[in-house]
Structures are given as C-alpha cells and as structure tokens.
Amino acid sequence: MENGHLLVPETVSRSDASVPVVIMLGWAGATEKHILKCTSLYTAKGFICFWEIARLADIMIFKSNLRLLAERILDVLLDQGLSNHPIFIHAFSNGGARVYDWLSILLQHHPKYTPVRPSVKGVIFDSSPAWETKETASSVVFTVAQSNGWPFPRIWALLFGLYVKVSAWIRTVLGIEQPSIAFWNRMLNCALRCPELFLYSSMDAISSASKIEEVIATHRAHKIHVTAQRWEDVPHVSSLRLHPAEYSAQVDEFVHTCLLPMQRSTL
C-alpha cells in the first residue's frame, strides 16, 4: 500500500511497533524510479519505507528549505503513528546527507521531535557525506543538467561554480562561516551517536573516499559503532547497481545487528 511517499507492504500492520521504518533520502537528480528500486531492499523484507528527494535548488542554494523537508518527514512519522518503531535513515550523497543533517538537528533540539530520537537505531550513508568544493558542486550540476536534458549543461555548471565562488568570497569578507564548513563539522560531530554503515568507493569523483574515511575515523574515535564497505570500481551512487548482492548483504547485516538489542529485550 502507498500513501504519498510512504510505502507499507500489504503484509505489514503499521500498529506493529516492531516493524522497522526506513527513511530513504535520495541524491541530487535522483528520480522516483531510482528511489523505488532502492526502497525495494527494505519493503521486500517487510519494512516500512518513507522516501524523499530534495530539490537540486534547495541542496545547492536554498538550503534552509531542507529544514522544512526534514520537518515534513518527522511529521509523517508522528502523524502515522510510526515514531515509536525502530527507525533507520539511508542517505545517498549530499542530497541525502544534507536532509539527514537537518533531521539530526531537529531530533536533538526541537521539543516536538526529540522524543523520536531514541527510535533511530542506525544510519546508512551511501557515497556520503561529501566534502563540498566548487569543483564537486559544479560536477553535480553538470551531471543533473545532462541527465535531465537541460540545454548547455556545461554553462549551467560554470555559472553555478561562479555563484559558489562569489558567495564564498562574500562570506569570507563578512566573516561568516561557510555553510559547507559548518555542515562538514556537524558530520564529523556524529550528533545522533547511533551505529552507522558507510558504503563508498575510491573511484567516486564527487564524494572523496579519503574525506569519508576521515568521518569514519572521527566517529570511531567517539566510540560510535561504524561499519564500512569500500569498493574500488564504483562511480558516484552506483554501488547498489554494480554490486547488488554485496550491497544488500551489508545492509541486511547492519540492520540485523542494530535490531539485536531490541530482540533480546523481548525474550
């Protein structure tokens, strides 16, 4: 059964609080077809899924709109009676990680949503978080423009690169912290303190493997349980497509491990 972006398998009852809920956050330029293929990893196992894809303009420019998107996701969980289910967040690239960032902030600090925080049992990062530069941002815009058939994709990428450069210069002159730096510091901080799975590749031209490994090392130093799978032959957000069996096995094992404490407590 489907309700908006909420996917509930026909064999599952929403009132059964033991059924996991997965919040799936798509990458910039992802389509519904892409995300539904990814959600099938979970719905086939009887999990409830809720998916969202942030707009490119919000990911790149109007970042405050991502807070509204994060609030809408959490409101769906509350309105549908799913906030006490075990919750997993699966974020693709920075399109997903940026929304996860806002979810994390709201779960920590907003009184309406802080009661949901203990329900978050794990986070899966696919090709994320990415260290943002003018070059990687331009590459994302070019890829999205090209895949969506926009005219002159290279010009769009050049214009956006110029926008990033000018915006960064203005913030430097005014002594304002760069949003990309603030975002990265929050990613290093690991505010939710729950287990994490990182799925990434050394071949990724947008999400640097070395920067993801910096996050992994920092989180492990904070005593966070971190699992990581690094491939050597996978372009950006293509791990599931190129290594479906291994990808699925990694996710299954991670989710199973995260749910074990709950299963033991019911014995």
Side-chain angles (χ1 to χ4, degrees):
M1 180 173 60
E2 183 173 341
N3 182 2
H5 293 170
L6 182 66
L7 306 173
V8 184
E10 292 181 358
T11 56
V12 167
S13 171
R14 298 186 200 192
S15 61
D16 182 355
S18 68
V19 177
V21 175
V22 178
I23 301 170
M24 186 160 284
L25 307 171
W27 61 96
T31 65
E32 181 174 347
K33 180 180 178 181
H34 293 142
I35 294 302
L36 289 179
K37 180 178 180 180
C38 298
T39 60
S40 67
L41 275 174
Y42 298 104
T43 55
K45 297 175 178 62
F47 293 7
I48 296 170
C49 279
F50 184 80
W51 63 269
E52 282 287 358
I53 304 170
R55 298 188 315 147
L56 178 65
D58 293 339
I59 297 167
M60 296 299 188
I61 302 174
F62 307 112
K63 294 180 173 65
S64 60
N65 288 345
L66 298 177
R67 173 179 180 143
L68 301 177
L69 179 57
E71 288 178 347
R72 185 165 79 234
I73 292 169
L74 294 174
D75 284 339
V76 168
L77 296 182
L78 291 168
D79 294 344
Q80 297 294 327
L82 301 172
S83 60
N84 61 333
H85 288 236
I87 296 169
F88 292 87
I89 302 171
H90 194 136
F92 291 89
S93 190
N94 272 10
R98 282 281 187 177
V99 182
Y100 161 77
D101 182 33
W102 268 113
L103 289 172
S104 175
I105 291 169
L106 293 169
L107 289 168
Q108 292 174 83
H109 303 297
H110 196 297
K112 180 180 180 181
Y113 304 120
T114 50
V116 183
R117 180 179 175 179
S119 295
V120 180
K121 303 304 179 186
V123 182
I124 299 105
F125 292 100
D126 183 320
S127 308
S128 67
W131 172 254
E132 296 177 352
T133 66
K134 177 175 70 69
E135 291 73 23
T136 58
S138 295
S139 178
V140 169
V141 170
F142 174 78
T143 300
V144 173
Q146 191 176 50
S147 63
N148 285 281
W150 297 359
F152 314 115
R154 291 194 184 279
I155 292 178
W156 283 106
L158 287 170
L159 288 174
F160 185 73
L162 180 62
Y163 162 79
V164 171
K165 190 172 184 178
V166 171
S167 298
W169 178 79
I170 291 172
R171 287 179 176 275
T172 300
V173 169
L174 296 177
I176 302 173
E177 185 179 35
Q178 304 294 339
S180 58
I181 300 297
F183 164 73
W184 191 254
N185 288 336
R186 289 192 298 272
M187 290 296 98
L188 288 174
N189 233 1
C190 185
L192 290 185
R193 294 292 195 271
C194 60
E196 298 168 333
L197 169 62
F198 290 84
L199 304 163
Y200 65 106
S201 171
S202 61
M203 188 180 168
D204 194 326
I206 292 174
S207 299
S208 163
S210 63
K211 296 301 287 186
I212 291 174
E213 286 165 355
E214 176 187 343
V215 175
I216 291 170
T218 303
H219 289 190
R220 283 175 172 162
H222 287 314
K223 308 302 181 185
I224 306 303
H225 178 75
V226 176
T227 306
Q229 170 64 54
R230 169 173 167 159
W231 286 280
E232 308 298 329
D233 59 344
V234 178
H236 192 59
V237 293
S238 297
S239 303
L240 177 57
R241 178 172 60 85
L242 295 179
H243 298 281
E246 193 173 3
Y247 192 105
S248 180
Q250 287 284 344
V251 170
D252 287 351
E253 179 63 25
F254 175 73
V255 170
H256 175 72
T257 300
C258 293
L259 293 176
L260 271 180
M262 290 183 59
Q263 294 166 351
R264 287 170 181 158
S265 67
T266 61
L267 295 177

